[in-house]
Amino acid sequence: MSDMSEAPRIERGEDPVGRMTNNHQFKLLADIPVRMSVEVGSTSLRLAEVMDLAEGSIVELDRQADDLLDIMVNGALIAKGEVVTVNGRYGIRIIDIAATENRLAGIERRG
């Protein structure tokens, strides 16, 4: 995890390389809210194991500590990244963007 308090922020309406997006179709969609989440890992447990969890319990996940995290938008994988801190809060640095067709396929599944 690294401190990104001085990192540039991407403003609304800018693409990752700083060009303004002038596409009319994009402008129609730009203000639709979406939910971004970051998945650290997962595991499968039996209900009995969940019921036995208590403060201090440790649940091992299916990822190595140095693996990139999945960045999801509305449940579709859009990128991979790493945790950073920004002014004392968690953030995520984008390391790898998913291919456009993969991102769109995730959205189409939910339509």
Side-chain angles (χ1 to χ4, degrees), residues 57-74:
S57 295
I58 296 174
V59 177
E60 185 175 344
L61 303 176
D62 61 353
R63 298 241 178 117
Q64 298 296 316
D66 59 350
D67 285 351
L68 294 176
L69 308 178
D70 290 340
I71 302 169
M72 317 286 279
V73 169
N74 287 352

Side-chain angles (χ1 to χ4, degrees), residues 5 23 32 41-43 46 53 63 78 82 84 88 95 98 103:
S5 56
N23 183 322
I32 296 173
S42 63
T43 192
R46 294 187 326 269
L53 293 175
R63 298 241 178 117
I78 64 149
E82 62 187 9
V84 296
I95 302 296
R103 288 183 280 158

Side-chain angles (χ1 to χ4, degrees), residues 3-9 85-87:
D3 182 10
M4 296 295 295
S5 56
E6 301 300 319
R9 298 179 66 95
T85 58
V86 182
N87 299 322

Side-chain angles (χ1 to χ4, degrees), residues 18-67:
R19 297 180 307 248
M20 293 302 290
T21 306
N22 292 320
N23 183 322
H24 178 68
Q25 291 172 336
F26 174 78
K27 287 181 181 181
L28 292 173
L29 301 174
D31 287 330
I32 296 173
V34 295
R35 184 70 157 164
M36 178 182 276
S37 60
V38 178
E39 185 175 303
V40 175
S42 63
T43 192
S44 293
L45 300 172
R46 294 187 326 269
L47 182 56
E49 293 171 311
V50 173
M51 300 300 291
D52 286 340
L53 293 175
E55 285 186 34
S57 295
I58 296 174
V59 177
E60 185 175 344
L61 303 176
D62 61 353
R63 298 241 178 117
Q64 298 296 316
D66 59 350
D67 285 351

